[in-house]
Amino acid sequence: MRIAILVEGATEKAFEPILRDFLESRLQQKMPKLKFIPYDGRIPKGEKLKRSVENLLTGKDVFNAVIALTDVYTGTNDFQDAAEAKAKMTDWVGNNPNFYPHAAQYDFEAWLLPYWSTIQKLAKSDKSAPSGLPEQVNHGKSPSHRIKEIFEIGKCQNSYSKIRDVKRILKNQDLMISVNQCPELKSFINTILSLCEVNLIQ
């Protein structure tokens, strides 16, 4: 099984080894070949996305499935929420049974919020965690903004760096903690498990 995963950029690339470790512990011999394809900003939309997906499914280096993982926040107002992001990507690509759209609501950093105590330690700040479920944190301040804020007010004297800090926050963590609090993350991982024909996370 070969799966291409279209992602926006640095944060998701930093997440890749953590995701691989998590999947390998569940899939072992059924572990697929995953290829993360970053777009340095945002994944394509419209006809460009359709072409990218079709090329990956039919080209020389052919994949069995393509997953697209976008943030709801892309620097534009294309999507109001994860449901709309997934519906629009499906519409752009057309009726392709090997394409699986996914979205982080409101951005990838929502999936880091369950590890707030680690974020506090790294930032050297006791600022309390945002209230509510991680994927519902917004109110004018996206999850990435909240993490950036705690780093900048903390005593660590560093701003939040996606490439550096995603790995530090998730190091030695149990990804199931986030999976159980973040339905969009669970859905994304279950798509991979389903493609590998193993039991889904309930």
Side-chain angles (χ1 to χ4, degrees), residues 33-197:
K33 291 206 170 4
L34 299 179
K35 182 173 184 182
F36 272 59
I37 302 172
Y39 280 91
D40 297 323
R42 65 159 300 168
I43 65 171
K45 57 184 187 175
E47 197 61 36
K48 272 191 177 174
L49 179 60
K50 183 176 185 175
R51 273 199 309 276
S52 295
V53 170
E54 287 173 353
N55 288 341
L56 289 163
L57 292 171
T58 60
K60 194 169 79 172
D61 192 23
V62 69
F63 289 86
N64 303 101
V66 177
I67 296 172
L69 178 61
T70 183
D71 285 353
V72 168
Y73 288 145
T74 59
T76 67
N77 294 320
D78 285 333
F79 313 130
Q80 291 302 308
D81 56 25
E84 186 179 14
K86 290 184 281 189
K88 280 195 173 178
M89 288 191 290
T90 300
D91 192 46
W92 291 334
V93 170
N95 186 20
N96 192 321
N98 298 311
F99 174 65
Y100 301 86
H102 284 277
Q105 178 148 303
Y106 287 88
D107 56 28
F108 173 89
E109 277 76 6
W111 299 348
L112 302 179
L113 295 183
Y115 310 103
W116 193 259
S117 62
T118 300
I119 293 168
Q120 286 176 317
K121 282 180 199 147
L122 292 171
K124 298 184 179 169
S125 168
D126 59 1
K127 182 176 172 60
S128 57
S131 59
L133 291 170
E135 290 181 339
Q136 292 172 7
V137 169
N138 187 20
H139 311 301
K141 279 189 188 174
S142 67
S144 60
H145 184 94
R146 309 281 181 134
I147 295 174
K148 184 170 183 273
E149 187 177 65
I150 186 174
F151 269 86
E152 290 182 351
I153 63 169
K155 292 178 181 164
C156 69
Q157 298 184 321
N158 279 317
S159 188
Y160 168 61
S161 159
K162 290 173 183 280
I163 296 171
R164 180 193 67 220
D165 294 321
V166 169
K167 289 178 185 172
R168 292 167 73 213
I169 293 165
L170 291 175
K171 187 179 178 186
N172 301 323
Q173 301 283 11
D174 179 2
L175 196 58
M176 277 301 294
I177 293 167
S178 188
V179 167
N180 286 328
Q181 293 182 46
C182 302
E184 296 298 338
L185 174 58
K186 182 186 282 187
S187 174
F188 167 64
I189 288 175
N190 273 340
T191 290
I192 299 171
L193 297 179
S194 169
L195 286 165
C196 299
E197 300 179 337

